[in-house]
Amino acid sequence: MITLTDFLIVSVMLFCIGLYMIVSKRNAIQILIGIELILNAAILNLVAFGKHDATNNSGQVFALFAIVLAAATTAVALAIILNVYRKYKTIDPGKINNLRD
Amino acid sequence: MNNTLSHTDLTLVTCALAAVASPLLAALVNFCLPVKSKIAGWASTVAILLSCVLAAKVFAGVWNNPQIHVQQVWFTIGHTKVYAGFLLNNLSVLMLLLVSVIALPVHIYSTAYMKHDDRYSRYFTYLSFFCFSMLALVVVDNLVLFYAFWELVGFSSYLLIGFWFTKDKAVQANKKAFIMNRIGDIGLLSAIIILFAMYGTFDINALFGHEGMLSISAIRDGQWAIQPDLLPRSYGSIWLSGGASGSLPAIWQCIAVTGIVLAVAAKSAQFPLHTWLPDAMEGPTSVSALIHAATMVAAGVFLLGRVYPLFTQTELTVLACIGCFTAFMAATIALTQNDLKRVLAYSTISQLGFMVLGMGVGAYSSSLFHLVTHAFFKCLLFLVAGIVIHEMQHVKEENNLDIDPQDISLMGGLRKKLPLTFVVALIGGLALIGLPLTSGYLSKDGILIQAFEWSDGKAAWFKIIPVMALLTSWLTAFYVARLIFKVFFGEFRLPQIYPGLKMHMGDGGWQYKLPLVLLALCCFFPLFSFNPFGYEQAWLSSGLRLHGLAKFGSIYHLSIPALVNIFSLLVIYAAYIIYVKQSTFSFPQTGFFYRLSYNQWYFDRIYKRVFVKPILGLGKFMYWFDKNIIDGFIHLLAAVSRFVAGFAAWADKYIVDGFLHMVAAIVQSIGNFARKFQGGKVQYYLFSMLAIVLLLFILKILI
C-alpha cells in the first residue's frame, strides 16, 4: 500500500535534488533541470494531496496548470540562456556577473 | 662752542680740526680707489703735508700762549652731559706737529718703498687712518674720545703690522700686538671709569689741567677726596656733575693708576707688556718707522703726560722702576740681536723706558723732550734700515739666495755702496747714543741729570735707578755702535759667503733720499736749543715745564754729561775694535748672559709657559668640557627626547593607529563578509538564503 507519506518522501527527495542542482550546478541548463525537479516535487505533492481533496481532480488540474506554466517559463528561460550564451560564450551563471547591454 | 672764543682762536681750532681730518679724508679716498692705484700714495702724502702745514700754524699760535679749549655737548645721559672738543695746549700742539712732521717723510718714503706691493692703496689707506687716529688722539679733550682714538690707533697698527697677511709670522705678530694692547686698554678703561665715578666728568682739562680737580684732591686717612683746604681762593665752591661723590677709598686711586700704567706699558711697550713690539717688526719697515717714532708707542708716554697729576710720589717711583728696568732690559737684549730691525725695536723699548723713567723721576719736560728728539732719530734709523733691507732683498732676489735680508751678520762695508744712507745712519746713531751736538744729547742727559737729582736725599737704594739708567746709556752706545759697524764698516760678508754675486746697490731715488736728509737735519741741536750743552735752554723743554716743578742746578749738570759721553766714546771705540778691527777678542757665544740676552730674557718663553700654555690648556679643557659635558648633556637630552619621541611614534603607530586599523579591519572584514553574499552569483544568493533559512529553523528548534 502506497501511503501519502511515501509520496511526500519522494517529493522531498526530488525537491532536495532539485535544490542541490540549482545551488551547485555550473550549467544553466542543468539549473533549469533542477528547477524542473523542484516543480515536479511540488506537482507530485499536488497530485498526492488531490486524493484527499473534496473537489474532484483539482490537484491534477493544478498540476496540469503548473506543468504548462513550468514549460512556458522554461521556454523563456531557455531563450534567455541562448541569448546569454551568445553574449558571454558560456552558460555558467557564476561567470555571468554583469547585466550590461 | 664757547662764546668767549676769539677770532684767532677759532681759526686755530678750525686748523687743528682740518689737520686731523685731512688724513681721514685721504683714507676714505684711498679706500675707494682700486688696490693697485698709484694715486693713493700721493693722496695720503698730500693730506699729511696739509696736516703738517696746519699743525705748524696751530703750533705757532698756541705754543707758550694760553691753552685753547673748545667743546660741545656730545651726548647727554640723564643729567650728565658729555662734551667733546679740542684741548690745545703746549703738549697737544707739540704732539700734533710732531706726529704730522714725522709722518710726512714716512709717507714720502713709503711711496717708493711700497711701489711694487700688490695692495699699494690699501697700505696708504691704513697709513692715513693710523695718522688720523694718532692726530685725533693728541688733541681731544675728553677721556672717552681719547679712549676711542686710543683703540683706533691700536686697530690701525694691527692692520699695518699684519699688512703682509699672507706671512704667518706677520699674522702672529699683529695678533700679539693686538692682544697685548687689549690688556692695556682694559686698564685705561677702568681708570677712566674710576675717574668718572670720582669726579663725574671725562674732561681732561677739568681733571688734570692747571687747578683741575686732581690738583685739589688728595689722599688722607685712606680716603681719596677733594680737600677743601687745597681749593684756591678763586673757587667759591666746587661743583661736581652727575652725582659724583668726589670721595672714594684710597684703593681706587691705586687701581686707576695701575690701569693707566698698564695702558702705558701696553702701548709704549714697557715691561711686562713689551714683547709685542719686537714682533711687530713683521710689518713693512716704513710702518715700523712710523709706529716707533712719534705715534703708537709715543701714545703711552703722551698719556702719562696728560694724566700726570694723578700720580702720587710712591706711584711715580714705581713708574720710574718700571721704566728703568725696561730700559736696561731692552738695552741688554739689543746687544746680541742679529736682526737689523729687532735691534732697533729693542732700542725703542729702551728709549721709551727712559721716557717713562723720566716721568717717574719728575723730569716731565725732559721726558717729553726725549720723546720728540727720539722720534726723529729713531724714524731716521728705521728708514735707513728699510733701505738696507730693501737693497739686501734685491741682492737676494737677483741671485736667488736663501738668506734673511735683515740679518746684520751678512752685511758689512755698506758705507761704500750706500753713502748717503751711511751718513744719515751715523747721524741717527750718534743722536741715539746721545753724543754732544745732537738732539739726543740734550734730552737724554736731561733725564739722567734729573734722575740723579731726584735720588738725592732719598734712601740709598734709590740710587740704583739713575745708575742703571747710566749703565743703559752706555749699553745704548755699544749696541748702536755694533749695529753701525756691522752694517756699514768692514767688508761686505755676503760676497764672501756666496762668491760671484751680482750686486746693484744704491741709495735709491729722491723719495728715499729726501726723507733721510730731512730727518737727519732734525737730529742736530739747533732745532731745539741754541746752547748745544744745556737742556735747560731748549725751548721745548721750558715750554713743557710743569707748574710747580722747581729747577735747581747741581754738580750733576757737569759731571753726568761728561761721565756719560767719555764712557760712551770708550764703549764705541771698544765696539770698533771688536767689530771692525776683528781683534782676537770676541764674546763667548755660549755664556749664560749671552743666551739670556739673545733669547730676549726668555720673556716670550716664560709668557708662553706661564700664560699662553695654561690659557690654551684652559681653552682645551673648556672645549673638552663643552664637547663632552655640555654637549654630552645636550646629546643625552636629545637621546632621551628622541627615545620618548620614538616611543610616542611607536605608540602612535601601533597602539593608536593599530586600534584604528583594527576597527577599520573589523569593519572591513564585516564588510567583506557581507560583500561575499553579493558576489553577483545567483546560485550563491540562493545558497546563502537556504543556509539562513536552515539556520533559522535550527535556532527555532533549539530555542
Side-chain angles (χ1 to χ4, degrees):
Chain A
M1 177 72 194
I2 300 168
T3 62
L4 182 63
T5 315
D6 300 327
F7 285 105
L8 288 182
I9 289 168
V10 173
S11 170
V12 162
M13 284 163 68
L14 275 175
F15 181 84
C16 286
I17 292 164
L19 194 62
Y20 177 73
M21 280 180 79
I22 289 171
V23 170
S24 62
K25 289 299 171 186
R26 296 200 177 174
N27 190 321
I29 306 288
Q30 284 176 317
I31 293 168
L32 277 182
I33 295 170
I35 293 169
E36 288 303 317
L37 285 178
I38 290 173
L39 275 172
N40 283 339
I43 290 164
L44 187 63
N45 276 4
L46 284 173
V47 174
F49 290 139
K51 196 177 177 186
H52 306 282
D53 196 2
T55 317
N56 279 337
N57 299 325
S58 61
Q60 279 85 340
V61 174
F62 266 114
L64 274 175
F65 274 116
I67 288 165
V68 171
L69 274 175
T73 51
T74 306
V76 172
L78 274 172
I80 291 171
I81 287 167
L82 284 173
N83 273 317
V84 164
Y85 180 77
R86 208 166 351 153
K87 197 161 182 85
Y88 295 99
K89 298 294 170 204
T90 179
I91 48 169
D92 181 354
K95 288 182 182 160
I96 299 160
N97 49 13
N98 54 17
L99 281 172
R100 291 179 306 184
D101 288 328
Chain B
M1 292 254 175
N2 280 356
N3 292 328
T4 51
L5 216 58
S6 71
H7 180 66
T8 31
D9 287 357
L10 198 65
T11 320
L12 289 177
V13 169
T14 317
C15 284
L17 186 65
V20 171
S22 77
L24 177 65
L25 202 67
L28 288 176
V29 168
N30 288 346
F31 190 71
C32 301
L33 289 174
V35 284
K36 277 188 172 175
S37 170
K38 295 290 170 209
I39 309 162
W42 295 115
S44 288
T45 311
V46 167
I48 205 73
L49 182 65
L50 190 68
S51 289
C52 222
V53 173
L54 292 167
K57 185 173 159 56
V58 175
F59 182 79
V62 177
W63 185 255
N64 285 344
N65 286 328
Q67 65 174 25
I68 301 173
H69 185 198
V70 290
Q71 56 183 18
Q72 242 177 339
V73 175
W74 182 18
F75 58 84
T76 312
I77 300 174
H79 296 294
T80 311
K81 282 184 176 154
V82 177
Y83 294 88
F86 280 81
L87 178 61
L88 300 174
N89 60 8
N90 277 1
L91 179 59
S92 53
V93 293
L94 175 67
M95 286 299 289
L96 189 69
L97 183 63
L98 179 69
V99 172
S100 46
V101 163
I102 291 290
L104 181 62
V106 173
H107 274 74
I108 297 172
Y109 181 92
S110 296
T111 54
Y113 191 77
M114 301 301 287
K115 197 164 58 189
H116 301 297
D117 199 277
D118 287 340
R119 291 162 68 237
Y120 184 80
S121 86
R122 282 289 168 277
Y123 171 82
F124 278 100
T125 309
Y126 299 161
L127 202 63
S128 280
F129 190 64
F130 183 77
C131 290
F132 155 70
S133 316
M134 190 62 204
L135 288 171
L137 178 76
V138 298
V139 293
V140 292
D141 75 329
N142 175 308
L143 283 175
V144 178
L145 276 177
F146 187 90
Y147 183 74
F149 288 112
W150 179 269
E151 289 289 321
L152 281 185
V153 171
F155 171 65
S156 38
S157 74
Y158 168 83
L159 290 177
L160 284 171
I161 292 167
F163 181 70
W164 286 320
F165 61 84
T166 46
K167 263 166 71 186
D168 185 53
K169 274 171 91 180
V171 175
Q172 295 294 340
N174 74 351
K175 266 197 285 189
K176 192 171 179 182
F178 199 66
I179 291 168
M180 285 287 192
N181 273 297
R182 279 295 75 68
I183 300 172
D185 295 339
I186 292 166
L188 181 59
L189 189 62
S190 7
I192 291 172
I193 291 167
I194 292 168
L195 283 169
F196 183 76
M198 173 83 177
Y199 298 110
T201 177
F202 292 117
D203 193 329
I204 290 175
N205 190 42
L207 288 169
F208 307 107
H210 183 48
E211 296 192 344
M213 296 202 189
L214 274 155
S215 65
I216 52 165
S217 49
I219 297 175
R220 283 179 201 161
D221 306 328
Q223 280 287 314
W224 178 36
I226 289 177
Q227 305 293 347
D229 53 317
L230 290 174
L231 285 175
R233 294 232 172 72
S234 55
Y235 278 50
S237 65
I238 186 88
W239 174 80
L240 290 179
S241 60
S245 62
S247 169
L248 284 175
I251 183 76
W252 290 107
Q253 198 267 350
C254 227
I255 294 171
V257 167
T258 312
I260 297 276
V261 171
L262 214 57
V264 170
K267 270 278 185 300
S268 289
Q270 297 297 295
F271 171 80
L273 298 177
H274 62 275
T275 57
W276 66 268
L277 191 61
D279 287 15
M281 297 294 98
E282 293 300 331
T285 311
S286 43
V287 168
S288 307
L290 191 60
I291 288 181
H292 281 249
T295 52
M296 170 99 172
V297 296
V301 179
F302 173 75
L303 172 66
L304 275 183
R306 276 289 204 212
V307 305
Y308 199 65
L310 182 63
F311 288 77
T312 63
Q313 276 308 314
T314 331
E315 287 155 358
L316 284 177
T317 310
V318 173
L319 199 64
C321 291
I322 292 174
C324 179
F325 178 73
T326 308
F328 179 73
M329 175 200 69
T332 57
I333 293 172
L335 290 177
T336 56
Q337 299 300 309
N338 276 330
D339 186 319
L340 179 56
K341 283 169 81 182
R342 259 173 194 267
V343 176
L344 292 174
Y346 276 107
S347 158
T348 305
I349 298 178
S350 180
Q351 298 305 310
L352 288 165
F354 261 106
M355 294 170 209
V356 173
L357 165 72
M359 285 287 178
V361 299
Y364 180 84
S365 55
S366 290
S367 176
L368 290 168
F369 186 22
H370 194 52
L371 170 65
V372 174
T373 56
H374 172 257
F376 289 105
F377 52 73
K378 189 47 65 64
C379 186
L380 175 60
L381 284 173
F382 265 109
L383 295 188
V384 164
I387 291 177
V388 171
I389 293 166
H390 201 62
E391 297 303 323
M392 291 298 280
Q393 185 74 31
H394 274 305
V395 172
K396 179 185 165 181
E397 279 167 9
E398 267 180 49
N399 299 291
N400 283 321
L401 299 178
D402 183 27
I403 55 162
D404 178 8
Q406 308 192 10
D407 192 345
I408 55 170
S409 58
L410 297 173
M411 302 170 192
L414 291 179
R415 69 179 186 282
K416 291 164 211 154
K417 301 204 185 310
L418 311 168
L420 180 79
T421 312
F422 165 64
V423 172
V424 294
L426 204 59
I427 295 168
L430 293 180
L432 179 56
I433 296 170
L435 290 182
L437 302 181
T438 62
S439 58
Y441 169 82
L442 293 168
S443 55
K444 195 164 171 182
D445 282 6
I447 293 178
L448 283 175
I449 290 166
Q450 286 175 67
F452 271 103
E453 285 174 353
W454 166 81
S455 67
D456 270 355
K458 289 197 168 71
W461 66 267
F462 279 96
K463 275 274 186 279
I464 295 171
I465 287 175
V467 169
M468 287 253 286
L470 202 59
L471 207 60
T472 306
S473 68
W474 292 328
L475 289 176
T476 309
F478 188 83
Y479 69 69
V480 172
R482 170 177 176 265
L483 185 71
I484 288 179
F485 289 145
K486 273 207 159 185
V487 174
F488 292 105
F489 286 81
E491 289 300 313
F492 195 5
R493 279 177 281 273
L494 200 58
Q496 295 169 1
I497 304 168
Y498 301 98
L501 283 183
K502 284 178 284 175
M503 275 191 295
H504 311 281
M505 289 178 126
D507 283 325
W510 67 270
Q511 286 145 304
Y512 285 124
K513 285 177 180 160
L514 179 71
L516 293 182
V517 173
L518 278 180
L519 290 167
L521 288 178
C522 296
C523 292
F524 289 108
F525 71 92
L527 188 65
F528 303 101
S529 166
F530 292 117
N531 179 356
F533 300 109
Y535 74 91
E536 301 91 339
Q537 270 96 14
W539 55 267
L540 228 160
S541 190
S542 53
L544 288 170
R545 195 152 288 141
L546 274 189
H547 304 275
L549 273 182
K551 152 192 151 198
F552 56 94
S554 69
I555 179 82
Y556 294 124
H557 285 256
L558 204 62
S559 61
I560 295 297
L563 194 64
V564 169
N565 289 309
I566 290 167
F567 234 85
S568 290
L569 286 174
L570 287 177
V571 166
I572 294 169
Y573 183 68
Y576 181 74
I577 297 284
I578 294 166
Y579 293 111
V580 181
K581 290 282 170 214
Q582 305 278 340
S583 72
T584 48
F585 176 77
S586 66
F587 288 108
Q589 307 237 320
T590 49
F592 169 72
F593 287 108
Y594 179 83
R595 277 185 288 127
L596 183 69
S597 163
Y598 187 74
N599 292 307
Q600 302 150 25
W601 284 46
Y602 296 105
F603 269 117
D604 276 329
R605 239 176 270 182
I606 293 169
Y607 284 174
K608 194 152 241 166
R609 198 156 301 165
V610 177
F611 297 111
V612 178
K613 281 240 176 87
I615 287 175
L616 282 181
L618 184 70
K620 272 202 191 111
F621 170 74
M622 289 299 193
Y623 180 73
W624 176 88
F625 189 80
D626 188 40
K627 198 86 194 159
N628 291 312
I629 307 289
I630 296 182
D631 282 10
F633 179 66
I634 301 289
H635 286 155
L636 185 74
L637 271 183
V640 167
S641 49
R642 211 164 38 213
F643 173 75
V644 170
F647 176 75
W650 179 85
D652 190 39
K653 189 167 177 184
Y654 291 99
I655 305 214
V656 179
D657 285 8
F659 176 71
L660 291 175
H661 284 153
M662 194 180 72
V663 170
I666 289 168
V667 171
Q668 194 180 25
S669 59
I670 292 171
N672 277 342
F673 181 71
R675 198 170 56 173
K676 265 195 295 195
F677 299 105
Q678 296 153 34
K681 292 179 179 170
V682 186
Q683 289 168 292
Y684 199 75
Y685 293 165
L686 260 174
F687 176 72
S688 46
M689 209 165 74
L690 186 66
I692 289 166
V693 170
L694 274 176
L695 200 68
L696 280 173
F697 270 111
I698 292 164
L699 283 174
K700 207 169 180 182
I701 293 162
L702 286 179
I703 296 165

